[in-house]
Amino acid sequence: MGIFDALNAPGVRSGTAYFAEGKFLARLQSMSYKLSQDPKRPENTVVVIANFAIVESTRPDTEPGEVRGIVKVLEPPKRGAFGPDWSDVKALLLALTGCNPADMAAVSKAEAEITAKGGSVASLLEAACSEGNPLAGTQIRITATDKPTKSGGTFTTFVFAPYVKGAE
């Protein structure tokens, strides 16, 4: 079953809070994806949901053990180009598998290894969201930054990095 096939994966848990601006050490609890039910989105739009338990936070209002979620909307490529959320999901997956998304040489090496095994970022996402959530329990560093929108709102950008114990 491919990433754009009909899916019955669980969605965002009721009451899940999202990351606010800050730096976090977080442990992946679960990761899933499902087809978007939003009629305004293109057909085969996929929603990726990752829920994390906070281990450490720079925010005084975020305690260890609290759960925060990240939701990314992956629209099918337009003219061969993927949207920005694809890059975020790729960076998240790389960090969860121990590769620093900011290290382009390491990313190139990781992508070559995935491709050599007949895979892709989409297949890595499918594996990460498979039964038993094999990456659950993995800790990563997350930096969330709020950015203003032209309409006066805000959106949150993320930088993901693998957690290396003792390398603070």
Side-chain angles (χ1 to χ4, degrees), residues 15 19 34-35 38 48 52 65 81 89-90 96 98 106 116 118 138 156 162:
F19 281 89
K34 66 177 187 169
L35 286 175
D38 185 346
V48 176
F52 291 88
V89 169
K90 178 179 165 182
L96 285 166
T138 304
T156 306

Side-chain angles (χ1 to χ4, degrees), residues 32-99:
S32 61
Y33 63 95
K34 66 177 187 169
L35 286 175
S36 172
Q37 301 300 311
D38 185 346
K40 298 176 188 167
R41 298 272 181 198
E43 186 178 355
N44 293 327
T45 294
V46 173
V47 179
V48 176
I49 303 108
N51 290 304
F52 291 88
I54 301 301
V55 177
E56 297 173 1
S57 170
T58 59
R59 295 185 60 86
D61 62 347
T62 306
E63 298 289 326
E66 291 183 15
V67 176
R68 294 291 181 266
I70 295 174
V71 175
K72 292 294 176 180
V73 179
L74 307 179
E75 292 186 354
K78 295 177 184 165
R79 294 184 211 101
F82 291 102
D85 279 357
W86 279 95
S87 295
D88 283 348
V89 169
K90 178 179 165 182
L92 173 60
L93 290 167
L94 289 169
L96 285 166
T97 56
C99 178

Side-chain angles (χ1 to χ4, degrees), residues 1 5-12 31-35 47 49 129-130:
M1 181 179 295
D5 293 335
L7 304 170
N8 292 316
V12 174
M31 193 165 181
S32 61
Y33 63 95
K34 66 177 187 169
L35 286 175
V47 179
I49 303 108
C129 296
S130 66

Side-chain angles (χ1 to χ4, degrees), residues 123-163:
S123 64
L124 184 57
L125 176 60
E126 286 183 61
C129 296
S130 66
E131 189 174 331
N133 269 193
L135 297 175
T138 304
Q139 294 185 135
I140 64 170
R141 297 265 178 213
I142 300 172
T143 301
T145 306
D146 291 339
K147 301 281 185 179
T149 64
K150 291 179 184 175
S151 63
T154 60
F155 70 95
T156 306
T157 62
F158 296 96
V159 175
F160 304 104
Y163 170 66

